[in-house]
Amino acid sequence: MQHTTKQKAILLLSDGTIFHGKSIGISGTTFGEVCFNTGTTGYQEIFTDPSYFGQIMVATNAHIGNYGVNANEVESDRIMISGLVCKNFSVNHSRPDSESDLFDYFQKQNLVCISDVDTRALVSYIRDNGAMNAVISTDGTSVEELKKQLDLIPDMNGLELASKVSTTTPYFFGDENATYKISALDLGIKRNILRNLAKRDCYIKVFPYNATFEEMKAFNPDGYFLSNGPGDPDPLFEAIATAKEIISGNYPLFGICLGHQVIALANGVSTYKMFNGHRGINHPVKNLITGKGEITSQNHGFAVNKEELDNHADLEITHLHINDETVAGMRMKSKNCFSVQYHPEASPGPHDSSYLFDQFIENIKLSK
């Protein structure tokens, strides 16, 4: 067996804290907000999820890369994370249907990764001190120079990123002869959302993040969908205006994650940046309508203001995160509109919440 010596690499946090590790062999420097995901599987889906754009991902699972990659397990056309921090990076993979190893996958897209990091200590530090910007360097750049460059990176609070990941031109997904037509606003839409709608007999037209209501209405849809995505929802003025018009017309509307936050803002309810956010595939949620619990897949750093929701005349909370009682879902009392702060399409994650897509279809049927 050939022995390979790994080059030293560092992760520098914006508060000056340094974590040391090794380069997996891709030289470079990358910046982003550092966050962690507690999922034990599904790393390829996580890396390609547009909601992670602009973020350096810390994998809490001890082994990354051990089952390789497969073209069917992507949520977009490219890797969306800015960089990866992990404990053990495996070039060898053993799954029969893997098509290549993770290193080749990263190398083709020039993703900088640092391994051999004490990720338990790092995650503990982030939990105590909150999410912050960071830089990974595997090319020997001095700490002093990295600090200067890191100071220039904008904070995630107030940062509009949907335009960086949204489609630039409309496209179609599904069977054009399907029973239902859906206009979907792409704020960073995951592919498995489209699959879930298509398998429920929907034909979807996906629009850019800044599409107008008139453009979306021209498709003559039976319902409207606002997708997940990265960044702060506050700067999404066009999307908020579009949501207001959909709501005003009482058309069936379903929002997930960033789309959920946009619906809140369209109703005058504010959002805020969380201390750490929720990222993982085992987050417990309580459905306040049915009283049942759900294990959910989550990925968000912003949330809807619960106090303002409680005092809103036309909105009610439908789901709560059991760990911290943040808002996990809501619906309008007088309009055909509901949304959730988690991912019912999973990929990766449990399927406890897939009923929400069925609920959307039922809302469409009732509106006809």
Side-chain angles (χ1 to χ4, degrees):
M1 179 182 292
Q2 184 178 0
H3 177 73
T4 302
T5 301
K6 293 182 178 180
Q7 298 295 317
K8 292 181 179 180
I10 67 167
L11 168 72
L12 170 65
L13 303 180
S14 60
D15 67 358
T17 305
I18 297 174
F19 285 82
H20 296 273
K22 302 289 180 66
S23 169
I24 66 168
I26 301 171
S27 181
T29 298
T30 188
F31 300 84
E33 183 184 68
V34 67
C35 66
F36 57 89
N37 188 294
T38 58
T40 57
T41 187
Y43 55 71
Q44 192 178 356
E45 293 95 324
I46 291 168
F47 299 159
T48 56
D49 180 351
S51 294
Y52 282 120
F53 184 84
Q55 293 180 307
I56 291 174
M57 173 58 60
V58 180
T60 63
N61 191 28
H63 299 279
I64 294 296
N66 50 308
Y67 60 80
V69 295
N70 186 298
N72 294 321
E73 296 174 355
V74 296
E75 289 302 314
S76 65
D77 293 331
R78 59 190 171 99
I79 294 173
M80 290 292 179
I81 60 171
S82 297
L84 177 67
V85 182
C86 62
K87 176 61 177 175
N88 301 306
F89 187 91
S90 177
V91 175
N92 299 315
H93 56 99
S94 57
R95 188 175 54 159
D97 64 348
S98 60
E99 298 170 353
S100 69
D101 60 66
L102 190 59
F103 177 79
D104 286 342
Y105 189 65
F106 280 2
Q107 193 171 45
K108 288 176 182 176
Q109 301 188 53
N110 197 34
L111 186 87
V112 177
C113 173
I114 177 174
S115 67
D116 298 83
V117 174
D118 186 347
T119 50
R120 289 194 177 198
L122 174 56
V123 169
S124 179
Y125 188 86
I126 297 170
R127 279 178 169 158
D128 290 342
N129 295 277
M132 66 186 79
N133 284 340
V135 53
I136 297 172
S137 182
T138 63
D139 60 8
T141 302
S142 69
V143 172
E144 291 73 20
E145 179 60 27
L146 291 174
K147 286 181 178 179
K148 292 178 183 177
Q149 296 179 27
L150 185 55
D151 286 341
L152 301 176
I153 302 301
D155 187 77
M156 189 66 74
N157 202 0
L159 194 59
E160 186 278 299
L161 294 176
S163 61
K164 309 294 185 184
V165 298
S166 177
T167 184
T168 55
T169 56
Y171 65 91
F172 297 92
F173 191 96
D175 181 0
E176 62 180 347
N177 297 311
T179 302
Y180 309 105
K181 293 167 66 177
I182 306 296
S183 283
L185 193 66
D186 177 12
L187 305 176
I189 198 165
K190 288 177 64 180
R191 197 161 291 168
N192 206 40
I193 289 174
L194 297 174
R195 296 189 196 105
N196 269 275
L197 290 171
K199 75 179 184 181
R200 287 168 173 81
D201 206 16
C202 294
Y203 184 48
I204 309 105
K205 186 172 184 180
V206 183
F207 291 84
Y209 78 103
N210 58 352
T212 64
F213 171 66
E214 288 74 21
E215 290 170 333
M216 297 181 74
K217 186 181 179 183
F219 184 51
N220 193 28
D222 300 293
Y224 293 82
F225 177 78
L226 304 184
S227 85
N228 62 292
D232 191 334
D234 264 343
L236 294 175
F237 306 115
E238 296 99 335
I240 294 168
T242 297
K244 285 182 179 178
E245 292 198 63
I246 297 170
I247 292 167
S248 177
N250 198 24
Y251 301 102
L253 176 61
F254 179 26
I256 288 177
C257 282
L258 188 58
H260 160 82
Q261 296 160 14
V262 166
I263 290 172
L265 291 167
N267 280 284
V269 175
S270 68
T271 59
Y272 63 94
K273 186 152 188 331
M274 303 173 75
F275 189 65
N276 267 314
H278 297 152
R279 298 176 182 90
I281 58 176
N282 63 343
H283 285 258
V285 163
K286 183 176 181 180
N287 185 324
L288 301 182
I289 308 301
T290 65
K292 294 182 178 180
E294 303 169 22
I295 303 301
T296 68
S297 177
Q298 300 204 9
N299 170 19
H300 60 100
F302 291 81
V304 173
N305 188 301
K306 182 176 181 291
E307 183 178 356
E308 291 180 22
L309 264 183
D310 283 332
N311 295 321
H312 197 286
D314 200 27
L315 286 170
E316 69 173 321
I317 299 172
T318 58
H319 299 75
L320 279 179
H321 196 294
I322 292 176
N323 289 347
D324 58 10
E325 293 195 339
T326 52
V327 177
M330 64 184 182
R331 68 182 180 187
M332 297 192 69
K333 299 174 184 177
S334 66
K335 303 291 184 182
N336 195 344
C337 171
F338 75 104
S339 60
V340 290
Q341 186 63 84
Y342 52 96
H343 287 270
E345 83 287 348
S347 192
H351 298 164
D352 296 26
S353 307
S354 60
Y355 70 89
L356 291 164
F357 289 102
D358 299 321
Q359 181 178 321
F360 182 38
I361 302 303
E362 286 301 313
N363 287 356
I364 290 174
K365 291 178 181 178
L366 290 173
S367 70
K368 287 183 174 292

